[in-house]
Amino acid sequence: MKLLFTAGTQFDFPRLQQAVEQVARQRPQWQLTFQAGPGARLEGLAEWPNVLARPLFPSVEFQALFDAADLVVTHAGMGNIIACLEAGKPLMMLPRRAGLGEHRNDHQIDTAEAFLRMYNVPAYESVPQLVSAIVEPADWPQGGTSAAERIHRTRSAFARQFDALLREL
């Protein structure tokens, strides 16, 4: 199994790093990649030979890692979520929480709730819940093209409506 964990590009995310470490311990045969975010302290991951971790990967390398991943585990960042849905890639979310000092506000919790409702993307409140879900592949969400098709239809409809509005002006 190949898993891509991504904390985004703005901040480090220690809780997601804890999840990487716990999955590495429980599934040493899996290949784990972790884009940890600027300022992340990655020394603790050096002991895990199945973990490739960097603060940031160049975009071409990140795309290759994304394409190869069997599962993406992400903070609740819009870019990662939409990329996974458009690619039909299974994903799980661990939203950052302002109360834990992980972000400026709780918009990621709101984002995760919305994507759970609209696309059935699972979000977890705690590291133990997330790790339990990750280590059992039979429980992983299914990727697929239905979300990508729905996003494309919605974008196309919006573009047509916007174009019609501009013509009226």
Side-chain angles (χ1 to χ4, degrees):
M1 294 287 178
K2 293 181 180 180
L3 279 66
L4 174 62
F5 292 79
T6 177
T9 59
Q10 293 185 22
F11 311 110
D12 66 332
F13 191 5
R15 280 193 311 139
L16 191 57
Q17 183 165 333
Q18 291 170 5
V20 172
E21 291 169 358
Q22 290 179 28
V23 172
R25 182 179 301 113
Q26 293 183 41
R27 297 292 185 264
Q29 70 278 21
W30 289 2
Q31 294 177 341
L32 310 180
T33 302
F34 181 36
Q35 179 166 291
R41 306 187 92 183
L42 303 175
E43 300 83 19
L45 293 172
E47 70 180 271
W48 305 105
N50 60 328
V51 176
L52 171 62
R54 294 190 195 144
L56 298 171
F57 289 90
S59 61
V60 171
E61 187 176 357
F62 183 84
Q63 186 62 51
L65 293 164
F66 176 86
D67 292 343
D70 297 304
L71 175 71
V72 175
V73 182
T74 182
H75 67 129
M78 294 293 288
N80 288 332
I81 297 167
I82 292 171
C84 288
L85 291 173
E86 288 181 332
K89 183 79 60 179
L91 77 143
M92 296 179 182
M93 297 179 288
L94 181 66
R96 293 175 182 269
R97 299 178 60 179
L100 298 175
E102 296 169 343
H103 220 311
R104 294 176 288 273
N105 58 46
D106 281 329
H107 73 277
Q108 288 200 357
I109 294 170
D110 299 333
T111 298
E113 289 172 356
F115 278 94
L116 174 62
R117 270 192 323 274
M118 292 187 303
Y119 296 103
N120 202 31
V121 176
Y124 300 88
E125 293 182 17
S126 72
V127 171
Q129 290 174 327
L130 175 64
V131 171
S132 292
I134 292 171
V135 299
E136 296 300 330
D139 297 334
W140 288 0
Q142 298 299 308
T145 58
S146 63
E149 291 167 357
R150 187 170 155 202
I151 290 167
H152 177 73
R153 281 194 313 270
T154 302
R155 280 185 183 156
S156 294
F158 173 79
R160 286 190 304 276
Q161 291 171 349
F162 188 67
D163 187 50
L165 176 65
L166 289 176
R167 286 186 187 154
E168 287 179 21
L169 299 175

